[in-house]
Amino acid sequence: GAVVSQHPSWVICKSGTSVKIECRSLDFQATTMFWYRQFPKQSLMLMATSNEGSKATYEQGVEKDKFLINHASLTLSTLTVTSAHPEDSSFYICSAGDSGLTDTQYFGPGTRLTVL
Amino acid sequence: GENVEQHPSTLSVQEGDSAVIKCTYSDSASNYFPWYKQELGKRPQLIIDIRSNVGEKKDQRIAVTLNKTAKHFSLHITETQPEDSAVYFCAAGPLAGNMLTFGGGTRLMVKP
C-alpha cells in the first residue's frame, strides 16, 4: 500500500516553544491530508483537514492559531504546535489518501509530543 | 456531522474463538467504512474496508458486514490468534479520500 512518513517520531520540548511536525506521502500525491490527535487509550480525533494550496479546515474546538497547518506541495503537510504547553502533549498522527486511485487512507507512524 | 459509536470497548476471547466488534453511524451520507488495527504506540493499519454498495466483504479470517438501512457495520475475526490482540477502530466517511470519523476503539485481548 501507499506509504506515509512523519517526522519527527518523538519530541520533547519546553513549555512555550513551537514544534513542527512533517507528514509526507512517499509514493503518491495527496491533495488532502488529515491531522489527528490521540490521547492515551483514546480514539483518534480529527483536528484539521489540510488542503494543498489553500487554507486548512479546522474541526470545532481546534485553535487554528495554535495549530498551524501548511500544505505547500502535493506530498508534504506540516503541523506546527505554537507556544506548546503540557496539555498539548499527545500523539499526533497524519493520514493521506491516494485519491487518484482509491479512497483508502494511510496513516503516518505518528509523532509523540511531550511538553515539559 | 457524523457520529460513530463502537462496542464493546474491551473484548477478551480465548485463542481460536471468534471476535465481533460492532459500530453504528449517524450520517446516511457516509459510504465508506474502514477498520483499522492499532498496536501500542504504532500507527493505525487498515485491515479491511467496505463500501455502501456491498453488504459483506471477507479477507481470510476477517470479515465485515454492513447494514445501511440500520446504519451499522461489524467486524468479525474468526480463529483468533494472540497476534490479533490490539485496539481496533471502525470509521465512517464519504468516499474519495474525505475525512473519517472514528469510533472509540475496542481493545481486543486474545488469550493463548
Side-chain angles (χ1 to χ4, degrees):
Chain A
V3 179
V4 176
S5 71
Q6 245 178 277
H7 177 82
S9 56
W10 60 272
V11 59
I12 301 173
C13 69
K14 292 182 179 180
S15 185
T17 58
S18 294
V19 176
K20 180 186 283 188
I21 303 170
E22 293 185 348
C23 177
R24 292 181 185 273
S25 55
L26 298 186
D27 52 359
F28 64 99
Q29 294 183 330
T31 55
T32 303
M33 293 183 176
F34 303 94
W35 286 96
Y36 296 86
R37 184 172 179 175
Q38 187 177 35
F39 291 108
K41 298 185 179 180
Q42 293 189 23
S43 189
L44 297 110
M45 298 301 296
L46 179 67
M47 297 175 65
T49 302
S50 173
N51 304 297
E52 187 269 334
S54 64
K55 292 182 179 180
T57 304
Y58 290 82
E59 295 302 299
Q60 192 172 8
V62 178
E63 300 176 57
K64 60 181 181 181
D65 293 331
K66 180 169 183 63
F67 299 99
L68 302 178
I69 291 174
N70 184 281
H71 195 151
S73 77
L74 288 171
T75 60
L76 173 65
S77 175
T78 61
L79 168 68
T80 301
V81 183
T82 63
S83 187
H85 288 94
E87 57 265 30
D88 298 324
S89 299
S90 187
F91 194 49
Y92 293 86
I93 307 180
C94 69
S95 74
D98 185 354
S99 54
L101 294 176
T102 174
D103 43 33
T104 301
Q105 286 195 33
Y106 300 94
F107 283 85
T111 297
R112 184 161 302 282
L113 171 63
T114 301
V115 185
L116 302 177
Chain B
E2 176 65 279
N3 182 49
V4 179
E5 299 281 342
Q6 186 171 345
H7 299 281
S9 56
T10 60
L11 179 59
S12 181
V13 299
Q14 206 66 36
E15 182 178 1
D17 289 349
S18 295
V20 180
I21 303 170
K22 298 181 179 181
C23 287
T24 60
Y25 63 100
S26 62
D27 191 348
S28 58
S30 289
N31 286 303
Y32 177 60
F33 308 92
W35 286 87
Y36 289 87
K37 175 183 180 183
Q38 188 180 29
E39 297 177 359
L40 187 64
K42 296 188 177 180
R43 77 182 85 191
Q45 297 275 12
L46 179 71
I47 56 171
I48 195 167
D49 57 12
I50 192 167
R51 291 165 178 80
S52 61
N53 58 342
V54 176
E56 184 174 355
K57 185 177 178 180
K58 189 175 182 180
D59 182 4
Q60 299 183 336
R61 297 187 296 110
I62 296 173
V64 58
T65 59
L66 170 65
N67 184 328
K68 275 219 77 167
T69 303
K71 294 196 187 70
H72 65 71
F73 55 112
S74 301
L75 177 71
H76 304 252
I77 306 175
T78 58
E79 300 173 28
T80 54
Q81 302 167 3
E83 50 265 38
D84 294 330
S85 297
V87 178
Y88 291 80
F89 292 100
C90 63
L95 292 173
N98 283 316
M99 69 178 208
L100 295 172
T101 301
F102 284 81
T106 297
R107 184 172 300 277
L108 174 64
M109 293 170 283
V110 181
K111 299 178 180 178

